Amino acid sequence: MVKSEGPDPWTETSDVGHEGDGDLITLDDLTQRVGMSVRTIRFYTTKGLVPPPIRRGRSGFYTTDHVARLELVQELQSHGFTLAAIEKYVAGIPIDASTEDIALRRSMLAPWQADRPAYLTYEELCRRADRELDDDELHTLHALGVLTREADGRYAVAASQLSVALRLLDIGFPADAAEAAAKVYREHGRQIAEELQELFRTMVWPKYKQAGTPPEVLRVMVEQIKPLSVASLVSAYEAAMDETRRREVSRRTGD
């Protein structure tokens, strides 16, 4: 039985129908589910990031659709998107999008790296490196994809890769070579990402949607496929490098 809440003067409620009051939750329940304050939820509602609550008499209630949309907003925020950018992104989601559709969008936004970056001040970074890092070294580390400078002045550092990158600095790895390699990775990485995204959208997602797969199962599936995709990319890269070296040897020897 759903506990009623009083009229909500901050947001207008919707007369949109919903099958079964058992699926409805109160505003208090919603705040606990998504870890947001009442004030934040009402603000996002006025911004159109989530639909207004569903009216049952003088009370407003919420559904799993509200939960999914608020979780999507949280995911976008974690990636550093501004409120204006989030509004534009959410505006592109059909109003009749299912909870599963929204959950999938959130799952696809989740970071693909196995390790979350460590956020370090310059001093903390130097302590990790066990030496003072000058501007050229920081530039090379950035080109190698090991760190990025955040708006607050800290560095987002791939901690598991830092020691390897520091050894490259020790042996004088050229900064311009790191930049050139980073450009190759970005260009081809973007192409691979776009093609895999399209493949997933047209060949994988429709089958799961047709089967009525629950959102949680979709999230697990996306999480499981990430390490397999990374492993496949590494294997393909290694095979391609071996073939490239063989062709280069053959070219030089005339075989």
Side-chain angles (χ1 to χ4, degrees):
M1 189 73 176
V2 177
K3 181 177 67 175
S4 176
E5 66 177 10
D8 183 355
W10 286 271
T11 57
E12 294 183 1
T13 53
S14 169
D15 289 315
V16 175
H18 193 85
E19 295 183 4
D21 283 357
D23 293 327
L24 302 180
I25 60 176
T26 66
L27 180 57
D28 286 342
D29 292 333
L30 181 63
T31 61
Q32 294 178 20
R33 287 275 294 271
V34 299
M36 291 183 182
S37 67
V38 170
R39 182 178 179 180
T40 299
I41 292 173
R42 285 170 172 159
F43 173 72
Y44 287 158
T45 303
T46 62
K47 285 295 198 178
L49 299 181
V50 292
I54 295 169
R55 180 180 299 139
R56 286 292 182 266
R58 291 176 57 81
S59 300
F61 297 97
Y62 301 82
T63 70
T64 53
D65 178 67
H66 293 89
V67 174
R69 287 177 181 268
L70 287 170
E71 288 177 340
L72 177 61
V73 170
Q74 289 175 316
E75 188 69 50
L76 289 164
Q77 286 178 323
S78 72
H79 287 276
F81 287 98
T82 63
L83 180 61
I86 293 174
E87 288 184 64
K88 290 181 181 179
Y89 182 87
V90 172
I93 301 176
I95 194 169
D96 60 348
S98 67
T99 301
E100 291 79 6
D101 289 327
I102 299 168
L104 180 64
R105 288 172 181 264
R106 180 190 168 207
S107 297
M108 295 303 292
L109 283 168
W112 278 65
Q113 67 267 31
D115 298 324
R116 296 268 183 173
Y119 293 94
L120 307 174
T121 64
Y122 172 73
E123 292 74 18
E124 291 169 335
L125 176 60
C126 289
R127 283 198 293 271
R128 290 274 187 108
D130 198 28
R131 69 168 186 265
E132 291 287 324
L133 295 169
D134 60 31
D135 289 342
D136 289 339
E137 290 176 318
L138 291 172
H139 180 74
T140 302
L141 290 174
H142 178 267
L144 289 169
V146 175
L147 59 78
T148 55
R149 184 78 178 268
E150 298 293 294
D152 62 2
R154 294 184 301 166
Y155 293 89
V157 182
S160 62
Q161 302 171 24
L162 180 60
S163 60
V164 176
L166 290 172
R167 287 197 292 273
L168 286 176
L169 291 180
D170 290 338
I171 60 176
F173 190 81
D176 55 351
E179 290 179 351
K183 183 179 180 181
V184 172
Y185 298 147
R186 284 195 302 270
E187 291 178 352
H188 292 278
R190 186 180 301 112
Q191 180 181 351
I192 291 172
E194 290 174 353
E195 292 182 7
L196 286 177
Q197 180 84 356
E198 182 66 11
L199 182 151
F200 191 91
R201 186 184 69 82
T202 59
M203 299 181 67
V204 178
W205 167 231
K207 293 185 182 296
Y208 281 89
K209 185 176 181 180
Q210 186 176 11
T213 305
E216 285 302 322
V217 174
L218 283 172
R219 278 196 281 269
V220 171
M221 183 270 293
V222 171
E223 289 301 318
Q224 293 296 321
I225 202 172
K226 288 178 181 180
L228 291 177
S229 296
V230 172
S232 296
L233 286 171
V234 172
S235 296
Y237 168 76
E238 290 174 341
M241 287 296 287
D242 288 341
E243 178 61 26
T244 299
R245 285 194 295 267
R246 283 195 293 269
R247 286 202 303 267
E248 178 64 14
V249 170
S250 295
R251 184 184 68 81
R252 289 176 178 273
T253 60
D255 293 338

